[in-house]
Amino acid sequence: MDQRGFFDVEDRLSRLSDLGDQLEAFSRAVDFEQFRPDLERTLAYSDGAKGGRPPIDPVLMFKVLVIQTINTLSDERTEYLINDRLSFMRFLGLGLSDRVPDAKTIWLFRERLTKAGAIATLFDRFDAMLRGAGYIAMSGQILDATLVAAPRQRNTSAEKTDIKAGRIPEHWKDKPARLSHKDRDARWTLKFTKAKPRDDGSMPAMDLAIPAFGYKNHISIDRRFRLIRRWKATDASAHDGARLREGLLDRSNTGSNVWADTAYRSGANEAFMDRHGFVSKVHHKKPPHRDMPTRTRRSNAGKSVIRSRVEHVFADQKSRMGLFVRTVGIKRAEMKIGLANLVYNIRRFLYLERINAT
């Protein structure tokens, strides 16, 4: 078998480019060096005066997290695929003989960013880049939330009672290994969906209630470009509507209209929006035990045409990125969800640049 040379690798990379390497498109469109100041300030690595192996470049490590998020990879699988795939190595700027971060290094890097709450700063950094490129928030905003599943916990009734009360179950305290695997922040909730017609064509008297466990990703996108401008991660039981008053509205949007489903309609929310100069386009609820007035039904239908655009965001995150929380605790879930929101904005930015170039 002939020995492979430098030009053979270059030919293979050229072929990957011809086939449409998404990571190469990321590198061309996004200057990842813009994240360096925030990363270095957060990580606060030593100057190396005391010796030891120097840390891997923080921008390279951040790009590793981007790869993880796009492909829904574990740390171990990420290490393997960086060693295995030329496209991954090219995106990271690694050669065949360069040091590849192992799974433990990836975990430690993500943990340091998580503990520092750095994902909000990194998200805002890229949002500033978007605005600088001309993609300012405009034409109003759309709010919604989606469930992000997490591994289900097998707890007893007594353990659940302690967790909900903010206590650690007594028999967990002397078992640190077990405690580290117990997610005490995730919660159960019921997801309601429309019941399907029976075989005879009749409709069941009640809709379906599906139990779900995990967290929620609350987002606000601008109507014009459908980019995520504000977001918040909570446990799954948190009420969607209450998040509207917790910094989810983007005051920099050039439009004042706010679209959302009926979960966001309340007297407190309407008063909040009116007080801060927003115009409510929130769906109206059906009156109890009465048919919805024709005028209200038509108004809701018109709002749905606009509001439905936010569903495309969640579809991209769940179908293409396979968004799922494998970690334990709200801080790590926030890091995972925040990375998914950031990567969505990068992908959306690439799409907007491509259609604007045609």
Side-chain angles (χ1 to χ4, degrees):
M1 183 179 294
D2 295 335
Q3 184 176 359
R4 293 289 180 182
F6 173 78
F7 290 105
D8 296 305
V9 175
E10 286 297 304
D11 289 342
R12 183 67 62 85
L13 289 172
S14 177
R15 180 57 178 159
L16 287 173
S17 299
D18 293 340
L19 292 171
D21 181 2
Q22 184 188 46
L23 291 177
E24 186 182 30
F26 273 36
S27 295
R28 286 198 305 265
V30 179
D31 178 16
F32 282 91
E33 283 296 318
Q34 67 183 304
F35 299 106
R36 183 178 295 279
D38 298 315
L39 291 170
E40 290 181 342
R41 184 166 52 253
T42 299
L43 297 168
Y45 287 140
S46 67
D47 58 6
K50 295 183 179 180
R53 174 181 281 187
I56 298 178
D57 182 72
V59 175
L60 183 152
M61 291 301 300
F62 178 66
K63 292 165 80 173
V64 169
L65 299 187
V66 171
I67 289 176
Q68 269 195 317
T69 304
I70 296 172
N71 299 280
T72 320
L73 302 174
S74 66
D75 295 337
E76 291 75 14
R77 187 64 177 167
T78 302
E79 178 188 355
Y80 171 80
L81 289 177
I82 292 173
N83 281 283
D84 181 66
R85 291 191 180 181
L86 288 174
S87 61
F88 283 14
M89 285 189 282
R90 175 168 64 179
F91 177 63
L92 298 175
L94 295 174
L96 293 175
S97 60
D98 290 331
R99 172 190 170 195
V100 172
D102 58 24
K104 185 65 174 180
T105 301
I106 297 170
W107 184 86
L108 288 171
F109 178 79
R110 189 176 56 250
E111 278 293 287
R112 292 190 71 166
L113 294 184
T114 299
K115 291 179 180 178
I119 187 57
T121 302
L122 297 171
F123 182 90
D124 290 342
R125 174 70 63 180
F126 187 69
D127 186 64
M129 191 226 78
L130 290 172
R131 295 172 188 269
Y135 298 103
I136 62 174
M138 57 196 306
S139 303
Q141 53 198 300
I142 309 170
L143 275 59
D144 206 354
T146 189
L147 289 166
V148 182
R152 298 185 176 188
Q153 305 288 294
R154 309 299 180 187
N155 300 323
T156 65
S157 297
E159 290 170 343
K160 291 178 182 178
T161 300
D162 286 338
I163 291 171
K164 289 181 179 179
R167 299 189 298 268
I168 299 176
E170 194 64 33
H171 60 285
W172 289 5
K173 294 180 180 179
D174 58 348
K175 299 178 180 178
R178 182 177 184 181
L179 182 59
S180 66
H181 288 85
K182 287 295 185 178
D183 194 336
R184 290 172 285 132
D185 295 325
R187 292 290 184 269
W188 284 95
T189 190
L190 290 175
K191 182 179 180 180
F192 292 92
T193 185
K194 293 293 182 182
K196 296 181 180 179
R198 300 190 181 97
D199 294 337
D200 60 3
S202 61
M203 292 295 296
M206 299 180 63
D207 291 334
L208 301 177
I210 304 172
F213 182 81
Y215 297 90
K216 274 185 181 178
N217 181 19
H218 306 262
I219 65 171
S220 170
I221 69 169
D222 68 277
R223 179 187 175 188
R224 174 64 180 85
F225 298 114
R226 306 183 196 180
L227 291 161
I228 300 173
R229 303 296 183 169
R230 295 286 184 272
W231 64 275
K232 186 178 182 68
T234 67
D235 64 76
S237 65
H239 189 269
D240 298 353
R243 309 287 82 77
L244 180 144
R245 307 187 300 278
E246 297 179 357
L248 203 57
L249 290 176
D250 181 14
R251 299 175 187 272
S252 68
N253 196 297
T254 61
S256 58
N257 291 339
V258 177
W259 286 268
D261 61 28
T262 55
Y264 294 85
R265 178 163 287 279
S266 68
N269 282 350
E270 294 299 304
F272 179 88
M273 287 188 281
D274 183 65
R275 188 166 59 252
H276 291 89
F278 295 105
V279 178
S280 175
K281 298 292 182 180
V282 179
H283 278 48
H284 286 271
K285 300 178 181 179
K286 177 184 175 297
H289 313 298
R290 289 185 295 151
D291 292 334
M292 181 175 288
T294 302
R295 181 179 177 180
T296 304
R297 185 173 64 253
R298 289 176 178 173
S299 175
N300 281 353
K303 295 172 183 175
S304 293
V305 174
I306 298 172
R307 196 204 65 79
S308 63
R309 296 174 186 177
V310 73
E311 301 296 344
H312 301 168
V313 179
F314 298 140
D316 183 90
Q317 290 182 333
K318 292 189 175 183
S319 64
R320 295 191 179 185
M321 288 189 268
L323 181 56
F324 181 85
V325 173
R326 291 191 179 96
T327 54
V328 174
I330 184 66
K331 296 295 291 183
R332 290 170 179 158
E334 185 179 60
M335 183 70 186
K336 174 69 175 181
I337 291 170
L339 277 169
N341 291 336
L342 174 56
V343 169
Y344 167 80
N345 274 0
I346 296 176
R347 290 163 60 97
R348 182 68 182 171
F349 172 66
L350 293 182
Y351 171 77
L352 292 170
E353 289 286 275
R354 185 167 65 251
I355 63 174
N356 288 336
T358 57

